[in-house]
Amino acid sequence: MQPSPLASPPVSLPSEEGRRSHEGGEGALPVVWLVEDSALERERARRVLEGHCVLELFAEGPTMLERLALGARPSLVLLDLYLPGIPGIDLLRFLRAQVDAAELPVLMLTVAGSKADVVESLQAGANDYVTKPYDPAELLARVTSQLRTQQLHQRLQQAEEGFRRLAAHLPDVVARFDRQHRHTFVSPSIHRLTAQPVEHFLGKTNAELGMPAEQVHQWAAAIDEAFTGREVSLEFDFPGLEGRRVIQSRLLPERDAWGNVLSVLSIARDVTEERMRAEYERHLIGIVSHDLKNPLAAILMQVQVGLLRAREDARTRDILERIQRTATRATGLVGDLLDFTRTRMGGGLPLVTRHQDLRDVLAQVVEESRIARPDRRLRWEVEGETALVADGERLAQLATNLIANALQYSPVASEVRVRLEGSPEAVVLAVHNEGAPIPAEVLARLFEPFQRASAEQDRSGRNVGLGLYIVHQIARAHGGQVMVRSSHEEGTTFVVRLPRVRDAVASDSTKPDGAT
């Protein structure tokens, strides 16, 4: 006896490809369920889709629903609109009540010429449709399109799950905003800061959460700017559980594959302790250095008096000159500490500028360096027009630091070359030495405070690591820049480029009241 075409064929055991598909193995083919009461149509679809997917066949809806209830989940369902028992449209509505269209796409098989069926299917949640009798190439193209879309959705889901797992373990608060400034995601770390659960924030704006109006405006402007594609930094006060906290947040645009900004991601961290520690360090350094300045000035003054009185006493003069050199060096360190404190407190280095020739300013620095280090060879070169509107005292400080650095980190028998060159756009100072090259890992942070070219080379302990930081700050205050080249073949060269036309913003930010 032949089986009835309306009877449900036994669900075939998955093939090797099918097992790989269900297990998610490498090279797995997607699993497609076809719910079709016609044995002829089932066979026809099998021939079209063979090799492109693992096809499982059902002759009516209840068997498919039973398979679904057992936990199986295909990548795509091909669903005939006209089925015995439960109509296809009712099966579709049931599926959509359980799973959305992105997670489980459904391709409806409708009758040609029935626009009402097509409209009803799409309204009920179908992703697409094919009319019977269908063209094999069209069926394959529509199935492939839906499978590709479903795979992209799965990848997005996996990426989102990975993102959420990562955010859940971060101490920083991670949040996502939509274009209406609503929170669409907040990481669990928000609870440690506010004692509120994640659900308290979802779907709400900062204004709806009770944030002060000024901060709401600040956040709104930052979010809107991030939606234009720019990264934004934001710092604000927050009334945390343990009192006022300082929160620093970075707002990052999240883009789709075409570069469109879909949402804005905020990564916020509590920097209260960091800010308090930095402020304490700045004040401590400022107080200590300021309190040292006056005693050192008194020592130098007394030494100068002693040198005048001990003209004929060579031994006494030698002792006093050593004291003078030591006190002068200490005064320089105190000056660096004071400058460091100014820059770290946001004031920048004060400049008092006037038109002057850097040739004269730096020639004096080179001569003083020669007197201080008679055992070393210093070559001084000048070329071109070197007049500039600048702070001569600050640029003398810059050159002194660079020359001292070159003398300290080069062999005693080698030469240090100081070259000043003028061009129509800028005046360039280059200080070269033949010492060992600066390690690459040190180069990256060389102009940061408390850094040294090499701890091994600086055994004296007299360098606190602020010289090159101050050089960078002085150049920056003049609208210039500092670069360094260092290699075994060429030695080390520091190059300071000072533009003749300074950037107005840089100039204003460093000019004290009353400076010209």
Side-chain angles (χ1 to χ4, degrees), residues 3 8 30 66-67 123 134 170 209 250 332 384 472 500 502:
S8 174
E66 181 181 352
R67 184 99 161 85
Q123 289 176 340
Y134 51 76
L170 286 176
L209 291 168
R250 288 183 63 209
H472 178 263
R500 295 189 185 277
R502 292 169 54 201

Side-chain angles (χ1 to χ4, degrees), residues 402 428-431 443 446-447 471-472 475 480-486 492-498:
L402 285 179
V428 178
L429 169 67
V431 180
L443 273 176
L446 193 59
F447 297 105
V471 165
H472 178 263
Q481 58 184 150
V482 186
M483 296 161 285
V484 59
R485 303 188 301 268
S486 190
T492 298
T493 304
F494 285 86
V495 179
V496 181
R497 185 181 185 277
L498 302 168

Side-chain angles (χ1 to χ4, degrees), residues 389-403:
V389 175
D391 187 326
E393 291 295 327
R394 285 294 184 186
L395 291 180
Q397 181 184 5
L398 176 150
T400 299
N401 285 353
L402 285 179
I403 294 172

Side-chain angles (χ1 to χ4, degrees), residues 104-330:
L104 180 57
V106 175
L107 187 65
M108 295 299 291
L109 305 177
T110 65
V111 177
S114 179
K115 291 185 179 180
D117 289 343
V118 170
V119 172
E120 186 179 17
S121 298
L122 294 175
Q123 289 176 340
N127 297 71
D128 202 354
Y129 67 94
V130 178
T131 56
K132 295 192 289 188
Y134 51 76
D135 177 77
E138 181 186 1
L139 176 64
L140 179 59
R142 291 184 182 274
V143 167
T144 302
S145 174
Q146 290 300 322
L147 289 174
R148 188 184 303 116
T149 302
Q150 203 268 347
Q151 287 172 353
L152 289 174
H153 173 73
Q154 286 182 337
R155 290 174 188 170
L156 287 173
Q157 270 193 321
Q158 292 168 359
E160 180 67 15
E161 289 169 3
F163 161 76
R164 289 174 180 265
R165 285 195 299 270
L166 176 63
H169 292 86
L170 286 176
D172 299 342
V173 177
V174 181
R176 179 179 283 140
F177 295 91
D178 63 15
R179 289 190 177 274
Q180 286 71 46
H181 301 178
R182 295 174 301 210
H183 292 77
T184 59
F185 170 82
V186 181
S187 64
S189 51
I190 190 68
H191 184 267
R192 292 196 297 270
L193 190 64
T194 66
Q196 295 286 356
V198 167
E199 293 73 21
H200 174 73
F201 299 87
L202 295 179
K204 298 177 183 176
T205 65
N206 286 325
E208 292 169 338
L209 291 168
M211 184 177 284
E214 183 178 348
Q215 287 187 6
V216 169
H217 176 73
Q218 186 182 14
W219 268 95
I223 293 172
D224 287 340
E225 185 174 354
F227 266 110
T228 67
R230 291 188 288 270
E231 294 187 11
V232 185
S233 293
L234 189 65
E235 191 168 298
F236 58 97
D237 291 343
F238 186 83
L241 297 175
E242 300 176 358
R244 172 187 169 273
R245 312 301 292 175
V246 181
I247 306 298
Q248 186 181 74
S249 182
R250 288 183 63 209
L251 278 67
L252 310 172
E254 292 188 295
R255 304 175 185 271
D256 61 17
W258 297 274
N260 302 310
V261 180
L262 299 179
S263 56
V264 167
L265 195 68
S266 165
I267 304 174
R269 64 188 184 99
D270 188 338
V271 296
T272 307
E273 303 300 328
E274 180 182 325
R275 290 287 182 271
M276 291 176 62
R277 184 167 57 251
E279 185 176 353
Y280 172 77
E281 290 173 354
R282 288 194 296 270
H283 281 296
L284 180 62
I285 290 172
I287 291 169
V288 171
S289 57
H290 187 272
D291 288 349
L292 284 173
K293 193 173 182 180
N294 291 335
L296 285 170
I299 291 171
L300 287 171
M301 184 179 298
Q302 293 298 322
V303 166
Q304 193 65 36
V305 173
L307 287 170
L308 291 173
R309 292 178 178 177
R311 293 176 181 175
E312 306 301 328
D313 188 341
R315 185 176 179 182
T316 300
R317 286 188 62 84
D318 182 58
I319 293 172
L320 289 173
E321 285 172 355
R322 290 184 184 181
I323 295 173
Q324 186 181 47
R325 287 194 296 270
T326 302
T328 300
R329 186 165 53 248

Side-chain angles (χ1 to χ4, degrees), residues 51-89:
H52 298 278
C53 64
V54 176
L55 191 63
E56 296 190 21
L57 306 173
F58 303 86
E60 39 86 27
T63 307
M64 184 268 290
L65 295 178
E66 181 181 352
R67 184 99 161 85
L68 193 68
L70 292 174
R73 178 70 64 85
S75 298
L76 173 67
V77 174
L78 296 178
L79 183 57
D80 187 14
L81 186 61
Y82 295 100
L83 291 170
I86 305 177
I89 194 69

